[in-house]
Amino acid sequence: MEESALVEEVGHRLARAGLRWTAGRRAVVAIFESAQAPLSMQELQDRAREARVPLSSLYRIVSDLISAHLLVRLAFEQGFARFELVEELAK
């Protein structure tokens, strides 16, 4: 998806969920947009640290993005999970 179209769609989905398009959410969406594969929480933490997203906010941001139908949680055995943009945004 083209960057301007992605930003617009993310903004609409966040607004429908009653959420704002904050700098932290922008950074996390950008991390997922540039990822070549689904990310584990540890991988996301490492990249978020580089983007200066506070760890204290990261879990809430991920939860909010899942609730707004922007991210999907892929569950694996033993409770391990990875996260990625929903399919229609990852194009």
Side-chain angles (χ1 to χ4, degrees):
M1 180 175 275
E2 192 176 307
E3 184 179 346
S4 61
L6 175 70
V7 168
E8 187 176 333
E9 181 61 25
V10 169
H12 288 306
R13 289 183 188 209
L14 288 171
R16 282 194 301 264
L19 300 169
R20 293 180 301 129
W21 198 194
T22 64
R25 291 184 181 124
R26 286 180 188 273
V28 171
V29 168
I31 290 167
F32 280 104
E33 183 181 19
S34 67
Q36 300 297 314
L39 300 175
S40 69
M41 211 49 205
Q42 184 61 55
E43 292 165 333
L44 179 57
Q45 287 174 14
D46 293 343
R47 294 179 189 196
R49 191 175 303 113
E50 294 170 13
R52 298 180 178 254
V53 176
L55 182 59
S56 60
S57 300
L58 190 58
Y59 285 90
R60 186 180 69 252
I61 290 170
V62 168
S63 178
D64 288 346
L65 294 178
I66 290 170
S67 296
H69 305 288
L70 294 163
L71 289 183
V72 63
R73 181 181 187 273
L74 307 170
F76 296 95
E77 292 181 21
Q78 301 172 358
F80 185 73
R82 289 187 169 274
F83 303 87
E84 66 181 356
L85 287 173
V86 294
E87 187 175 342
E88 62 269 18
L89 297 180
K91 294 179 181 176

